[in-house]
């Protein structure tokens, strides 16, 4: 997505920060420095993207990743 690539470039060039709220784990993993997981309105986890996908032992992140993978079927 061109918009997200331009946003990431802008953030890098201006030393800014952006809070992006999304359910799209593909984009979150591609453009984020960190992923925060909310469950029932509360912050439950905070990971770098690679650690988020490896954090299967956490019920909230495991459920989210499993649900996301099933959408692709």
């Amino acid at each position: 997505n061109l918009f997200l690539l331009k946003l990431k470039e802008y953030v890098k060039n201006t030393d800014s920060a952006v809070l992006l709220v999304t359910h799209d784990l593909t984009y979150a993993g591609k453009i984020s420095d960190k992923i925060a997981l909310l469950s029932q309105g509360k912050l439950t986890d905070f990971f770098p993207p690679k650690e988020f996908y490896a954090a299967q032992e956490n019920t909230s992140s495991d459920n989210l990743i499993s649900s996301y993978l099933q959408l692709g079927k």
Side-chain angles (χ1 to χ4, degrees):
N1 186 319
L2 183 59
F3 171 76
L4 294 174
L5 293 174
K6 292 289 185 183
L7 180 62
K8 187 172 185 174
E9 181 180 317
Y10 173 81
V11 168
K12 182 179 179 181
N13 292 336
T14 61
D15 198 29
S16 299
V18 172
L19 174 63
L20 176 67
V21 178
T22 182
H23 288 100
D24 191 326
L25 296 179
T26 301
Y27 285 130
K30 287 181 180 177
I31 69 165
S32 301
D33 295 325
K34 299 203 172 56
I35 295 177
L37 179 62
L38 298 173
S39 180
Q40 297 181 345
K42 296 182 181 179
L43 181 64
T44 58
D45 291 304
F46 196 69
F47 300 102
K50 289 180 182 177
E51 289 180 26
F52 174 76
Y53 294 108
Q56 296 288 328
E57 71 278 354
N58 179 289
T59 305
S60 297
S61 58
D62 183 43
N63 289 342
L64 181 61
I65 293 168
S66 295
S67 296
Y68 182 74
L69 292 174
Q70 288 181 7
L71 289 174
K73 292 183 179 180

